[in-house]
């Protein structure tokens, strides 16, 4: 929901503070940490992005790789443990509430506008070598960032602490923090986040909010090193107002956006109450009701694993089909496709891979017996947000499509098994071939080699081709996750057996420096020349 400038207004009133003692290297355990997954991932990305040197200044988008972010995320968690802070749980969104739908559409609109502005300024910078685009570029993150880091954490020693939840991470963070308060009564509980909403919930008496936004740092100390962070203690502030939580203060802060906290606190006191109906509606958004759901995930490993096998957008689509409840109406389900960095002057790159996604949607709808319900995809359209309604396929068309896909995967995975290519190269090849089958204007062979080896983009033509590559990859990933979910209790179809070998995001998109300038580059170029020639005949 968001309270405008919540933390800055509270800090101005003296309610946040910089402390040196949230952890020293070698400390005994003194704090249990609950991690807001999306906030954590974006913090990690910003930290990695700042560390990139100027050799990448001509790159369009970010030169930070998914592997960089995955490694940094694990290191961050290990550093916390080295300083006496134990990780209790890490939560990722699996389905956002329907009332946040307007916010998501607004974010898509903002992204489309920022992307267009960035492209135009990048063009000016290329021509003049004067204009700076760094502030805009910092907002264009890799499209599968959260999923890539979540996937990496599931493959790390922290795998048992990671949850993808059937809702928004916020409620699960505060519920887990309250449980941790009861389980560790002599310890501090910390929620690591950048989201001010988490400070408004009742998250337990011992719970502190540790703000990730540019404040987390490790500094040398006489004893080794110390972690510093901006902290916020909601329950202690509430007690000063003779209240159990910050709901009332937050309500007034939302209603009076330009008034100071000190002035608003005068509205809180004995005999003073906000309007009943408005206040009740407001507090509904800051009351966690997921204790039973969290307990189920903590106790049922199969359920936890089934949700961890789905990206947030896929999990949300599964949730809609399972509950027969769309974000806008029960007559239509919705999916907000990831933001890909593409040429804003051209059609959305999500046009490529649409048939694969349609097959996935059809399988999902049939599984939950709602085949007549269309799915609306939201994506960039020009410099605005757009959507397209997708209906399911009939049985014969679906089977033909799946058989055709199997032939692509079967041929290339057999080549990898024979030693002609590595498994990742094989998957990159099949994704490129699927991409080309969906394109009207075919690229040059050397551009396809750049996709294979992960060359960073310096012109918008290559950016848009790379976006097509990414949307094809994600469409196949969506199909894989839907098939795996729908067939988790039965015999696997032959296509699913092939898809189970699909590499993760970080491995698939990791640059391969062993190709450029070698005989392998020439071999790949000849391979794509031959393939493109067959497509043109």
């Amino acid at each position: 929901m968001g309270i405008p400038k919540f933390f800055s207004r509270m800090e101005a009133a003296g309610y946040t503070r910089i402390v040196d003692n949230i952890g020293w290297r070698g400390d005994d355990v003194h704090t249990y940490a609950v991690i807001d997954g999306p906030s954590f991932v974006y913090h990690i990305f910003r930290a990695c992005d700042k560390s990139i040197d100027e050799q990448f200044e001509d790159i369009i988008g970010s030169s930070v790789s998914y592997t960089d972010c995955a490694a940094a995320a694990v290191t961050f968690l290990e550093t916390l443990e080295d300083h006496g802070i134990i990780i209790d749980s890490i939560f990722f969104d699996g389905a956002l509430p329907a009332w946040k739908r307007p916010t998501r559409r607004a974010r898509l609109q903002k992204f489309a506008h920022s992307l267009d502005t960035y492209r135009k300024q990048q063009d000016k910078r290329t021509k003049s070598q004067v204009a700076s685009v760094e502030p805009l570029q910092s907002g264009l993150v890799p499209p599968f960032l959260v999923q890539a880091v979540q996937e990496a954490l599931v493959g790390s020693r922290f795998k048992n602490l990671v949850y993808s939840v059937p809702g928004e991470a916020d409620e699960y963070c505060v519920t887990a923090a309250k449980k941790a308060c009861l389980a560790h009564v002599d310890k501090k509980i910390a929620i690591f986040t950048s989201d001010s909403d988490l400070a408004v919930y009742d998250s337990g008496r011992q719970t502190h909010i540790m703000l990730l936004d540019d404040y987390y740092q490790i500094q040398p100390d006489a004893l080794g090193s110390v972690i510093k962070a901006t902290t916020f203690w909601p329950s202690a502030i509430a007690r000063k107002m003779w209240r159990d939580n910050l709901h009332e203060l937050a309500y007034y802060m939302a209603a009076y956006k330009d008034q100071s906290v000190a002035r608003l606190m005068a509205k809180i006191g004995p005999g003073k109450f906000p309007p009943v109906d408005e206040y009740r509606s407001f507090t509904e958004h800051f009351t966690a009701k997921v204790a039973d759901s969290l307990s189920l995930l903590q106790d049922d490993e199969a359920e936890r694993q089934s949700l961890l096998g789905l990206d947030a957008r896929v999990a949300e689509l599964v949730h809609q089909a399972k509950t027969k409840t769309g974000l806008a109406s029960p007559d239509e389900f919705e999916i907000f496709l990831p933001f890909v960095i593409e040429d804003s002057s051209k059609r959305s790159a999500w046009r490529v891979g649409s048939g694969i996604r349609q097959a996935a949607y059809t399988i999902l709808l049939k599984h939950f017996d709602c085949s007549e319900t269309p799915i609306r995809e939201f994506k960039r359209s020009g410099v605005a947000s757009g959507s397209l309604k997708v209906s399911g396929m009939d049985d014969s068309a679906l089977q033909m499509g799946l058989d055709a896909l199997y032939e692509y995967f079967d041929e290339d995975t057999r080549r990898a098994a024979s030693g002609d290519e590595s498994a990742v190269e094989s998957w990159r090849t099949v994704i490129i071939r699927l991409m080309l089958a969906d394109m009207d204007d075919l690229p040059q062979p050397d551009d396809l080699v750049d996709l294979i080896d992960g060359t960073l983009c310096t012109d918008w033509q290559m950016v848009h081709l790379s976006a097509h590559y990414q949307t094809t990859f994600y469409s196949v990933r969506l199909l894989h996750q839907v098939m795996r979910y729908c067939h988790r209790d039965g015999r696997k179809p032959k296509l699913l057996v092939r898809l189970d070998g699909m590499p993760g995001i970080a491995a698939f998109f990791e640059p391969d420096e062993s190709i450029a300038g070698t005989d392998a580059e020439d071999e790949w170029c000849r391979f794509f020349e031959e393939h493109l020639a067959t497509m043109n005949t």
Side-chain angles (χ1 to χ4, degrees), residues 225-416:
S225 67
V226 60
I227 297 180
K228 299 183 68 173
T230 298
T231 67
F232 186 83
W233 192 1
S235 66
I237 298 170
R239 287 195 295 273
K240 292 180 180 179
M241 297 182 289
W242 302 95
R243 293 291 189 266
D244 295 327
N245 53 56
L246 296 182
H247 286 174
E248 204 168 331
L249 177 59
Y251 167 80
Y252 285 120
M253 290 178 72
Y256 301 94
K257 300 177 177 60
D258 299 322
Q259 290 192 18
S260 69
V261 170
R263 186 173 180 183
L264 294 176
M265 287 182 69
K267 299 178 181 293
I268 303 172
K272 297 180 180 180
F273 303 99
V276 175
D277 290 341
E278 289 182 12
Y279 182 63
R280 182 184 297 117
S281 176
F282 177 84
T283 57
E284 277 291 309
H285 294 309
F286 297 103
T287 304
K289 302 174 183 177
V290 297
D292 291 342
S293 179
L294 176 58
S295 295
L296 174 63
L297 289 175
Q298 291 173 331
D299 298 337
D300 188 337
E301 181 62 13
E303 180 68 13
R304 186 178 76 92
Q305 289 295 336
S306 71
L307 292 176
L308 279 175
L310 302 173
D311 293 339
R313 289 166 173 83
V314 184
E316 182 167 63
L317 191 59
V318 169
H319 182 74
Q320 292 175 75
K322 184 177 182 179
T323 61
K324 309 288 194 298
T325 304
L327 297 180
S329 75
D331 300 324
E332 188 174 274
F333 302 145
E334 297 179 359
I335 181 169
F336 286 78
L337 296 171
F339 302 152
V340 291
I341 300 174
E342 53 187 326
D343 187 338
S344 59
S345 68
K346 297 181 179 179
R347 294 174 61 187
S348 169
W350 284 106
R351 181 182 64 82
V352 172
S354 59
I356 300 171
R357 298 195 302 278
Q358 185 182 21
Y361 300 152
T362 302
I363 293 169
L364 180 65
L365 295 173
K366 286 171 66 69
H367 179 76
F368 287 110
D369 195 26
C370 47
S371 296
E372 300 304 313
T373 307
I375 292 174
R376 184 170 294 279
E377 293 185 332
F378 286 88
K379 54 196 173 184
R380 179 195 66 84
S381 178
V383 295
S385 63
S387 67
L388 177 68
K389 184 164 68 174
V390 182
S391 298
M393 309 162 72
D394 61 42
D395 290 346
S396 60
L398 174 63
Q399 193 57 53
M400 286 178 60
L402 296 179
D403 288 344
L405 277 173
Y406 177 78
E407 292 302 318
Y408 276 96
F409 294 110
D410 189 48
E411 177 183 342
D412 283 280
T413 51
R414 278 191 281 107
R415 289 174 61 195

Side-chain angles (χ1 to χ4, degrees), residues 2 23 29 35 41 58 144 158 192 220 234 245 277 281 316 321 329 354 362 375 425 444 503:
V29 174
I35 311 289
V41 171
D58 294 328
F144 316 132
F158 297 101
F192 283 79
N245 53 56
D277 290 341
S281 176
E316 182 167 63
S329 75
S354 59
T362 302
I375 292 174
E425 283 179 337
Q444 295 299 310

Side-chain angles (χ1 to χ4, degrees), residues 351-353 356 408 428-445 447-449 451 465 468-469 472 527-536:
R351 181 182 64 82
V352 172
I356 300 171
Y408 276 96
R428 290 170 179 166
T429 306
V430 75
I431 294 300
I432 287 177
R433 291 175 62 222
L434 286 168
M435 174 192 77
L436 293 173
D438 247 5
M439 295 181 69
D440 298 323
D441 299 319
L442 298 178
Q444 295 299 310
D447 289 336
L448 297 177
V449 177
L451 292 183
L465 179 62
H468 286 139
Y469 183 52
T472 307
F527 171 82
F528 287 125
E529 284 176 351
E530 293 171 3
H531 182 68
L532 290 169
T534 63
M535 296 186 70
N536 286 318

